[in-house]
Amino acid sequence: MAKIIGGITTSHIPAIGVAMDKGLENEPYYRDLFAIYPPIREWLTEEKPDIAVLFYNDHGLEMFLDKKPTYAIGCAPEYENADEGWGIKPIPPVTGETELSWHIVNHLIENDFDPTVCQDIKVDHGATVPLTLLWPNFTYQGVKVIPVSINCERHPMPKPSRSYAFGKAIGEAIRSWENDAKVVVLGTGGLSHQLDGPRAGILNDEFDNWCMDKMVSDPEAICQYSNVELVEKGGAQMVEIAMWLAMRGCIKGEVEERLRNYVSPISNTAVGVQLLIPKD
Ligand code: DHB
Ligand code: FE
């Protein structure tokens, strides 16, 4: 059976991808942020996951406000990125894993989740920036990727508790796949930030750190918040913690927090990074 070997949370701020392209990792502004990635990459190089299930949000590239699936699963042989409005960033496509994608879809439908199936979909910075951070130079170390999107853009969004349950069902699906693949689960986006409107620039270090603590010890505590409460606490884009909850839901039982970093702000956003290892 397939095995989930770990979970990683990371931001997807486009400026971080640009900083990597320009080799700015050691600049004073970025140094503390980038310090966490070499040990995470070392772990990935040692553990060699075969597949990454990547929870992300599509900010409008494929799923604009007029067509917004609540949950969508990539079932494509490969995923390209595309122009988000400032020129196409030439990232080579990542390879998919359609057999596991379909296994997840079937398992979800049998367990009362009804995701949108995407056999042809491009992915935006929500997916490409985390991939660039974790596997630089677009080598991806042979890892296959299954992108899973969660609506974080338009009302009504899924409840945090629902995204956690959704992740639990995906974790069950992975563990019931008859294949000895090693799987890493990625929760991207977050933490506190708001990009526009009167509260643009809001940050909440205390709440972010509470969420990171609870990601380890008690993720259900985060699920008690509604999306409106999350917006009040950490700004409109705090709802991106949905992807963290889905990732954490995949991991059954207790976790060891192997690595953590928190830097705020980078661009407009508080950046939290964690490497969580299942204890079972
Ligand atoms: C920023 C953060 C995001 O989550 C995003 O999707 C785009 C930009 C930022 O802080 O610049
Ligand atoms: Fe975002």
Side-chain angles (χ1 to χ4, degrees), residues 29-34 261-266 269-273:
Y29 182 77
Y30 286 113
R31 198 181 294 143
D32 291 350
L33 162 79
F34 280 107
N261 195 22
Y262 180 78
V263 181
S264 175
I266 292 290
T269 301
V271 177
V273 180

Side-chain angles (χ1 to χ4, degrees), residues 62-111:
E62 286 275 22
M63 303 165 187
F64 198 58
L65 302 179
D66 56 341
K67 294 178 203 70
K68 185 54 87 173
T70 302
Y71 295 115
I73 315 274
C75 293
E78 65 174 27
Y79 304 93
E80 288 181 13
N81 73 315
D83 190 352
E84 291 182 51
W86 51 75
I88 295 178
K89 202 165 164 234
I91 290 183
V94 283
T95 305
E97 172 45 81
T98 51
E99 197 183 312
L100 179 55
S101 288
W102 283 109
H103 178 77
I104 291 172
V105 168
N106 284 313
H107 183 91
L108 287 173
I109 301 253
E110 286 305 313
N111 287 278

Side-chain angles (χ1 to χ4, degrees), residues 11-15 57 59 125-126 189-190 193 195 237 240 266-269:
S11 171
H12 61 220
I13 302 170
N57 57 316
H59 298 73
H125 68 270
H193 63 306
L195 299 178
Q237 278 77 45
E240 289 182 351
I266 292 290
S267 188
N268 301 290
T269 301

